[in-house]
Amino acid sequence: MTQALSPRERILETATQLFYAHGYRAIGVDRLILESGVAKMTFYKHFPSKDSLIQAYLEKSTTGFWTWINSITEKYLSPREQLIAIFQAVAKQAISPACLGCAFLHAAAEFPEVNHPAHQTALEYKRGVLAKLEALSQEAGAANPKALSEDLMLLMDGAWAAARMFGAGNHAARVAQTAEILIDVQTSKK
């Protein structure tokens, strides 16, 4: 039997669904309270402000992303295979009806002030992804791991943008093939 979610977990789960689908600024505290089924005092007990809830949502999203990435890469020994597997998974995710893009790109767009906590969290997350791609690129023997990781990051972000813009079945289906071409060019022996 599944245990009922705590009030904090209900609020965070509601925020996850609403923020991802509609954005951060479009969803007010009153709607979050109503849809999570908690009292206003309970909401503010767990999240003193909407910004603190946004922060918790982004932290949850970060954890979810790394769990997803690790579950993909742990199946492969070679860094090259891990990179390709990441992009195969991105392609699969980006063309699914459930994918509405990247929560972190959304945060950076909705909170363009670089000192805003949501923008800072999004930036930190993106730097972490870039670092992971660069480490794998270096381990795969890329001639220029930094350039390859930056190119791969552009592909990944493009796939997320295509998912949001064009919906399910979008052209991000080819992102893994494009990533493999870039990886091969950087890792080929001359």
Side-chain angles (χ1 to χ4, degrees):
M1 182 175 189
T2 305
Q3 244 181 325
L5 296 176
S6 72
R8 184 183 193 287
E9 291 167 332
R10 282 199 326 262
I11 296 165
L12 191 51
E13 187 59 33
T14 301
T16 296
Q17 293 168 12
L18 293 175
F19 289 158
Y20 190 59
H22 304 289
Y24 304 95
R25 295 188 190 262
I27 301 301
V29 170
D30 289 340
R31 183 168 178 191
L32 289 160
I33 289 169
L34 178 68
E35 293 202 24
S36 63
V38 300
K40 189 175 268 196
M41 284 185 67
T42 302
F43 178 91
Y44 284 110
K45 174 185 168 193
H46 294 288
F47 301 100
S49 67
K50 183 177 165 187
D51 281 347
S52 67
L53 176 57
I54 291 169
Q55 192 68 23
Y57 162 67
L58 291 172
E59 289 168 3
K60 177 184 173 189
S61 297
T62 298
T63 300
F65 176 82
W66 289 115
T67 299
W68 179 64
I69 287 296
N70 291 335
S71 73
I72 294 162
T73 57
E74 70 186 7
K75 299 173 188 169
Y76 300 92
L77 293 178
S78 86
R80 181 186 179 282
E81 290 173 326
Q82 290 176 358
L83 282 168
I84 292 168
I86 288 169
F87 282 88
Q88 288 169 340
V90 167
K92 184 177 179 181
Q93 181 66 26
I95 64 170
S96 78
C99 187
L100 299 173
C102 174
F104 301 94
L105 290 175
H106 300 166
E110 286 199 47
F111 302 102
E113 309 85 16
V114 293
N115 292 328
H116 191 282
H119 191 99
Q120 285 295 307
T121 300
L123 183 59
E124 181 181 325
Y125 162 82
K126 289 294 184 179
R127 285 179 176 151
V129 175
L130 198 53
K132 174 71 171 181
L133 293 173
E134 186 172 356
L136 286 173
S137 296
Q138 184 165 356
E139 292 169 23
N144 187 337
K146 184 175 183 343
L148 178 56
S149 65
E150 291 170 348
D151 291 346
L152 292 174
M153 185 72 159
L154 287 171
L155 285 177
M156 184 181 288
D157 285 342
W160 301 140
R164 186 64 173 199
M165 183 64 68
F166 297 100
N170 62 74
H171 53 280
R174 295 188 308 275
V175 73
Q177 295 162 327
T178 307
E180 190 168 1
I181 291 167
L182 289 173
I183 293 163
D184 287 347
V185 165
Q186 279 275 344
T187 59
S188 67
K189 306 282 187 227
K190 297 194 176 172

